[in-house]
Amino acid sequence: MLESLLINFFFLLVPVLIYLIFFEYRSFTYNKFIIFVFAAITMVLCMVFPIKLEIGYIVDMRYIPFLIFALYVGYRYTFLLYIVLNITRFIIGNEGFLQSLAFSTIILFVVPLCHQWFIKQPPKKRILCAIIVSMSTTIFYDLTLIAFIHALDREYWTLVVHTLFTHALVMAVIMILIEKIIANHMARDLLFQSERIDVVSHLAASVAHEIRNPLTVTNGFLQLLGKSQTITEEEKMYIEYSLIELKRAEGIVSEFLAFSRPQSENMVYSNLEAETEYIKNIMTPFANMHDVQIQSSVRNTLKLRYDKNQIQQCLINLFKNAIEAMRDTGGTLTIDVSEEKRAVVVKITDTGIGMTKEEITQLGRPYYSTKKEGTGLGMLMVYSTIRKLNGKIKVESEKGKGTTFSFTIPTS
């Protein structure tokens, strides 16, 4: 029995290690397919090589990959896994196929309901949730067997206890490994993001001020030249084009300057209420142009120390992006400032065009923008500002429904 148990555990463990070594760096969509293949193979192997007990019962761990997949992925691929499970069980034959079909059908319809809630939880809660789900399904399955087993002796209840403990332990080990992979992936992304921001920050500090001065001088001379009475209309048109491009260049330089270190003369100690109200007031005319309503709520008593100019520029960039995402249809822009334990939470929500998961993963990268005319520096500045405050950023979006951009800043 111990040998069969270790073999089943081996079937569950190896795919996790293979994924970690060979497939961790693949894209999200490709990863989901690979995970499905691994889960299906693991599930089939657990059924083909079950744990045969001396008292005559046969158990396996087929539902551990099935449950994990349902919790992390949801209905779409889980339905395919459900088909693989029951086809394999039908081919294996023997008694119990109908019970297995009914039980797996219940899991298919119930467990993926927790998917959206599950993926939003912190790692420790996800591990605990998976263990509870595994134990609950094991208990439910054992209780359903009562209808088919007439003599429930001590050996049966001993089997139930051992099965329950084994499933919980194996689920805990696999979930810890999975969450470790996820944590490593997030840490690597954060490291890359920090390196990108540092590069841009150094570039901004060394170049931006030097570029701005000649741009200002050139702008002034072009304006004077445009007032000359001796140039033709065509030449005036060229000057206007030059001024437009200079203005755009100055805007890019201004965005670079926002990456500089916080200035002592701009530091304040506040709960963000004044900045929220100020940004709402100056962005309202721009919002009205695009039929966007701005709603704000400040329910925060905690105070932070921050560079006022940088926070204001950060909020302006987020407001501007949100409004531009709703410029064709109008909508509502909501900013909510609240407190959570010892941290300030800011959520900016729009009802605009939304983004795909791939687009969300690209946010904060230099020169990446979802807008054709965008430079990506505005969002990079947002990530840089929040990083300086040791904050964490989270983006939730759905195509056609809108985006919620939230960041959490600790007070100490």
Side-chain angles (χ1 to χ4, degrees), residues 122-186:
K124 290 183 180 179
K125 282 190 177 181
R126 285 201 292 261
I127 294 172
L128 180 61
C129 175
I131 294 172
I132 292 174
V133 169
S134 177
M135 294 179 67
S136 300
T137 53
T138 303
I139 292 172
F140 179 71
Y141 183 76
D142 290 333
L143 291 176
T144 57
L145 292 179
I146 295 177
F148 304 97
I149 300 176
H150 301 290
L152 301 176
D153 52 16
R154 184 176 180 180
E155 287 183 323
Y156 173 78
W157 293 112
T158 301
L159 168 65
V160 169
V161 173
H162 288 171
T163 303
L164 185 64
F165 175 77
T166 302
H167 275 72
L169 180 61
V170 173
M171 177 65 84
V173 173
I174 300 300
M175 282 297 300
I176 289 172
L177 291 174
I178 291 174
E179 288 299 330
K180 186 63 177 176
I181 292 174
I182 295 174
N184 289 342
H185 182 75
M186 294 177 64

Side-chain angles (χ1 to χ4, degrees), residues 187-250:
R188 187 177 63 251
D189 284 349
L190 182 61
L191 178 61
F192 289 163
Q193 179 69 26
S194 298
E195 290 177 350
R196 289 193 293 265
I197 292 174
D198 287 341
V199 169
V200 176
S201 298
H202 290 308
L203 180 63
S206 60
V207 176
H209 283 289
E210 300 299 326
I211 294 178
R212 202 171 194 180
N213 291 333
L215 285 178
T216 303
V217 174
T218 305
N219 191 304
F221 280 118
L222 283 174
Q223 289 183 18
L224 290 175
L225 187 59
K227 296 178 182 179
S228 173
Q229 302 297 322
T230 61
I231 61 175
T232 65
E233 290 298 321
E234 185 178 5
E235 290 171 335
K236 285 185 178 181
M237 182 182 66
Y238 294 153
I239 291 174
E240 289 179 2
Y241 285 148
S242 300
L243 288 172
I244 290 173
E245 290 303 306
L246 274 175
K247 186 177 180 180
R248 189 166 70 90
E250 287 179 346

Side-chain angles (χ1 to χ4, degrees), residues 272 275-276 279-280 283 292-297 311-323 325-326 332-338 345-352 355 379 382 386 393-397 401-408:
L272 291 177
E275 282 67 34
T276 301
I279 299 304
K280 176 185 175 183
M283 295 300 293
V292 173
Q293 302 296 321
I294 299 180
Q295 300 176 355
S296 64
S297 173
I311 284 292
Q312 288 179 354
Q313 187 62 44
C314 175
L315 294 176
I316 287 174
N317 289 335
L318 292 174
F319 270 52
K320 185 172 179 290
N321 288 344
I323 293 170
M326 299 181 282
T332 302
L333 170 60
T334 304
I335 178 170
D336 179 75
V337 183
S338 61
V345 181
V346 180
K347 291 185 178 181
I348 298 175
T349 304
D350 66 65
T351 56
M355 294 180 289
M379 190 56 65
V382 171
I386 303 305
I393 298 174
K394 183 178 181 182
V395 183
E396 296 176 335
S397 186
K401 293 188 177 181
T403 301
T404 297
F405 193 103
S406 59
F407 51 86
T408 304

Side-chain angles (χ1 to χ4, degrees), residues 19 22-38 68-77 115-116 118-120 126 178 181-182 185-186 188-189 355-362 365 395 397:
Y19 179 86
F22 296 104
F23 298 100
E24 187 182 6
Y25 297 93
R26 302 284 183 173
S27 66
F28 180 82
T29 304
Y30 188 71
N31 276 357
K32 191 177 291 187
F33 174 74
I34 291 296
I35 293 170
F36 165 75
V37 172
F38 283 162
I68 292 175
F69 196 83
L71 287 171
Y72 277 104
V73 179
Y75 277 108
R76 186 177 178 184
Y77 281 90
H115 165 64
Q116 293 296 336
F118 177 80
I119 59 177
K120 294 178 181 178
R126 285 201 292 261
I178 291 174
I181 292 174
I182 295 174
H185 182 75
M186 294 177 64
R188 187 177 63 251
D189 284 349
M355 294 180 289
T356 64
K357 291 181 178 178
E358 286 75 14
E359 288 174 334
I360 292 175
T361 59
Q362 298 292 324
R365 297 193 177 191
V395 183
S397 186

